[in-house]
Amino acid sequence: MIHASLVCRACSGTLYAVSTSGGGTASLPTWKVDHDRTPASCPLRPLLPLEGTAAHIHELPDAAHVLTRPA
């Protein structure tokens, strides 16, 4: 599954998010979030890509620092 458009909190660059399912009904998706095109000047580059297992993308570690909140 590809997530809707996301924006980097620091550089306002476009981020992409991809999730894959573990297969079981109770398993959470595994996420990967990164810049679409990584700007050299983004101060959050060391935190990306965000990767992990969570019910929602905003529950990933460091998501609150990187992702803007949904409208």
Side-chain angles (χ1 to χ4, degrees):
M1 174 181 150
I2 298 176
H3 198 275
S5 292
L6 297 166
V7 177
C8 177
R9 188 178 292 271
C11 71
S12 299
T14 303
L15 301 170
Y16 72 86
V18 178
S19 69
T20 55
S21 176
T25 57
S27 66
L28 297 173
T30 300
W31 294 93
K32 179 177 180 182
V33 181
D34 204 352
H35 283 101
D36 188 29
R37 292 186 196 114
T38 305
S41 61
C42 181
L44 296 179
R45 285 181 71 186
L47 297 178
L48 293 164
L50 294 179
E51 296 180 295
T53 302
H56 191 271
I57 194 169
H58 289 278
E59 296 173 1
L60 290 170
D62 295 320
H65 301 292
V66 175
L67 305 175
T68 57
R69 294 302 297 172

